[in-house]
Amino acid sequence: MLTKSPRGTKDILPSEVYKWQYIEKKIAELCNNFGYSEIRLPVFEHTELFQRGVGDTTDIVQKEMYTFLDKSERSITLRPEGTAGVVRSYIENGMASLPQPIKLFYNITAYRYEKVQKGRYREFHQFGIEAFGAAGPTIDVEIISMINTFFSELGIGDVSLNINSIGCPKCRAEYNDKLIKYLTPNLNSLCHTCNSRFERNPLRIIDCKEETCKKVTVDAPSLTDNICEECSIHFDGLKDGLANLGISYKVDKNIVRGLDYYTKTVFEFVSDNIGAQGTVCGGGRYDGLIEACGGAPTPGIGFAIGIERLILVMESQGIEFPKSEGIDIFVATIGKKAEKYAQKLIYKLRKEGLSAQMDLMDRSLKAQMKYANKLGACYSIVLGDNEIDTNKAFLKNMDSGEQKEINLDTVIDRLKNIDI
Ligand SMILES: [Zn+2]
Ligand SMILES: [Zn+2]
């Protein structure tokens, strides 16, 4: 146990971390271009926030949260997602009094006690955005166009966009009655979970992945066909906006969200490359959430992307992640005098913004050169007593093998002027 990481966690080792750094850099660029500022929040929050903000009827809250009492007997939960914390912060920090909309992004770890499978961990990484204060469909379009840009920046193809409208509490109440009427004679054919959902949350039955349930719901009245005029105008605005930007989409009436504070726009980006469910990104509008969490009624919309799944998709599509490239110079040494000189030299080189290394393991010269190759050094220089006495040494281009005798005082200037 001592030397094994807990189930569902994964070390990101130096041999892999460049993929993450690449994606993080792309996220920062994307968010900057679209006007989203980063927000960094605590890893844990009061449990109540997630019960309210994620919803206590959800699987996340009922089965998957890492919840514990701290030493003062407060119920604390490791965040299972990003939105609730951002909403809490928006309210707590009075962001409603700033010019709206407030556009925020986060890039976090999150925690869910779930079945571990390929691309799914108990500690996972999520990039998401939340935008508060804008009620019209223009921002819905902006956010979808943002994800579209992100995928194309990363070179991801074969991703399709599905959208839907799930209406507002007003039209949903009317629809729920219709749905219950339709489902009542079919209760026996629904799975166990759906039977328990029937009273509390019939809308989620539409979303059930069980074949038997799918058979029943295929002819059920769709929420999308039963939304009110206001919701319908919003949905048309979304579709117009997407068409305006040339972003293709499909209306998928089966995308629903089971919680009251989700409203109007829902969307998913789906990839065929990662098996059954294939959702790479999910998002939507939640005009009731801020109020449900104790703030003034405020429209909001957001999305989240799981980074582990994103990397899976990229790898399955054969996308290359740019690797960081070696070091600028390796200073090899023979003898104590040279070692002391090298110690000072690489300190200077590093302060000048160059990446420099020397041997720290008492290697032979041959082993030092081998190590320099392993580090991917662009240049090397060998220092011994003679080089230090004469103040001259050979600067070697590790790629071409070409050597040039130089004055030792000029190493820094030379390296800075070579396009390494
Ligand atoms: Zn409505
Ligand atoms: Zn079911």
Side-chain angles (χ1 to χ4, degrees), residues 230-247:
E230 187 202 321
C231 292
S232 178
I233 291 171
H234 188 101
F235 198 36
D236 288 342
L238 168 66
K239 290 188 273 193
D240 278 356
L242 292 174
N244 191 31
L245 300 186
I247 296 172

Side-chain angles (χ1 to χ4, degrees), residues 191 194 208 210 213:
C191 75
C194 284
C208 185
E210 294 287 333
C213 299

Side-chain angles (χ1 to χ4, degrees), residues 308-327:
E308 281 82 3
R309 303 203 101 197
L310 186 70
I311 290 178
L312 262 187
V313 173
M314 290 174 71
E315 284 172 344
S316 71
Q317 297 191 2
I319 294 166
E320 300 257 348
F321 295 81
K323 260 188 178 164
S324 67
E325 290 166 30
I327 61 164

Side-chain angles (χ1 to χ4, degrees), residues 50 54-63 204 259 261:
F50 300 117
V54 180
D56 29 13
T57 57
T58 58
D59 281 356
I60 296 176
V61 170
Q62 286 186 348
K63 299 177 196 163
R204 283 207 54 202
L259 297 166
Y261 46 69

Side-chain angles (χ1 to χ4, degrees), residues 167-168 170-171 227-228 231:
C168 62
K170 197 180 75 187
C171 46
I227 54 177
C228 68
C231 292

